[in-house]
Amino acid sequence: MTTLSLPTPHLLRQLFPGFAVSVLVAATAQFLSEHYGAPAMLLALLLGLALNFLAEDGTRTAPGVGFTARTVLRLGVALLGARISVEMLAGLGAGAIALVVGAVVATIGFGLLAGRACGRGWCFGLLTGGAVAICGASAAMAIAAVLPRHDKSERDLVFTVLSVTVLSTVAMVIYPMLAQLLAFDARTSGVFLGGTIHDVAQVVGAGFSISDEAGETATLVKLIRVAMLAPVVLCISVAIRARGLAQGGARPPLLPGFVLGFLVLAALNSLGLIPQALAGAAADLSRWALLIAIAAVGIKTSLKRML
């Protein structure tokens, strides 16, 4: 079992420049998102790609950018657990939960099949299928953290984040109109939107654009998909260990530290031990950590190589 790798005090000075650049890119992306309506994750990624020269070997920012892309990412995923509770899941009903779980499994399975059919390999199939099935960019980064590393890992992650973010934005606009065209009632619309759109904020926006009931249902369904993140990552880690699929035969940890943190926070929230204000703060911190991490991933990635 591994834990979040925190820097020792003597490394802080070395890591700070790269971390500070990633924070600045994330803050800029958030500002542009609030004023122009584009997804913050997408903007952070694109801005980061434009600053790839800051991750070149020998630059002062390279160590901090690498640290941010790994460790801050894991922190953000772990904090997502504070949004999950057993009571929330039970409130939606067994039928809807079974539907969402089945859809997640089927989508990941389709990703594996499509990856093989396109000659892209099982890693790429898991990465893209899991991102679409669970929660877009957040899931992509969490799954990438446990997949075997190879020379195209960063490229595959950037491509996946870019694709699912764009597709989710399109879905946020089109799917509410489609639900009304098909004459779905409020609950059915909520299940449809929450089960298909990737980003939580976009699910909330799409759902409440129909009605309050559709928005509340869509948010619950979406959070069930988020709750699937920990078991999916755990299953992937177990499968890699069991089949010796890791690069060089290395065995990844059975339970990555950030998944353990996710589960612990979800359990504490289910027991009512996390005050609502603290859970909200954890959710905000998670969003910012993931935004900063995706900015760092963008900085690390060469647009020329990705194209």
Side-chain angles (χ1 to χ4, degrees), residues 3 7 20 91 98 111 149 173 202 248 253 258 288 302:
T3 57
R149 304 290 296 174
V173 176
Q202 292 173 337
F258 67 91
W288 273 105
S302 167

Side-chain angles (χ1 to χ4, degrees), residues 73-149:
L73 159 65
R74 288 162 170 77
L75 174 64
V77 173
L79 289 172
L80 282 174
R83 307 182 66 166
I84 308 300
S85 71
V86 173
E87 181 182 3
M88 174 202 76
L89 301 180
L92 195 60
I97 293 175
L99 175 66
V100 173
V101 172
V104 167
V105 174
T107 304
I108 294 174
F110 178 81
L112 286 170
L113 292 175
R116 175 176 294 182
C118 296
R120 302 297 297 176
W122 65 272
C123 282
F124 191 74
L126 271 180
L127 181 65
T128 53
V132 172
I134 303 172
C135 51
S138 303
M141 291 189 286
I143 293 171
V146 298
L147 288 176
R149 304 290 296 174

Side-chain angles (χ1 to χ4, degrees), residues 269-307:
N269 195 37
S270 297
L271 296 172
L273 299 178
I274 300 181
Q276 186 173 0
L278 185 58
D284 290 339
L285 182 58
S286 171
R287 186 178 64 81
W288 273 105
L290 292 172
L291 189 62
I292 292 168
I294 197 60
V297 169
I299 294 172
K300 287 182 62 180
T301 304
S302 167
L303 182 61
K304 180 180 178 180
R305 291 179 182 176
M306 187 178 70
L307 292 175

Side-chain angles (χ1 to χ4, degrees), residues 195-208:
T196 52
I197 301 175
H198 308 316
D199 184 75
V200 175
Q202 292 173 337
V203 168
V204 172
F208 281 97

Side-chain angles (χ1 to χ4, degrees), residues 200-228:
V200 175
Q202 292 173 337
V203 168
V204 172
F208 281 97
S209 70
I210 296 177
S211 70
D212 288 347
E213 182 182 355
E216 292 167 0
T217 303
T219 303
L220 283 175
V221 171
K222 174 59 188 170
L223 289 178
I224 292 177
R225 291 168 65 198
V226 174
M228 290 288 291

Side-chain angles (χ1 to χ4, degrees), residues 171-243:
M172 178 184 65
V173 176
I174 294 177
Y175 284 8
M177 295 186 290
L178 182 60
Q180 293 178 324
L181 180 65
L182 296 174
F184 288 163
D185 59 28
R187 180 177 173 82
T188 304
S189 296
V191 173
F192 170 55
L193 298 174
T196 52
I197 301 175
H198 308 316
D199 184 75
V200 175
Q202 292 173 337
V203 168
V204 172
F208 281 97
S209 70
I210 296 177
S211 70
D212 288 347
E213 182 182 355
E216 292 167 0
T217 303
T219 303
L220 283 175
V221 171
K222 174 59 188 170
L223 289 178
I224 292 177
R225 291 168 65 198
V226 174
M228 290 288 291
L229 180 60
V232 166
V233 172
L234 177 59
C235 288
I236 292 173
S237 181
V238 169
I240 292 173
R241 282 173 60 94
R243 301 197 176 193

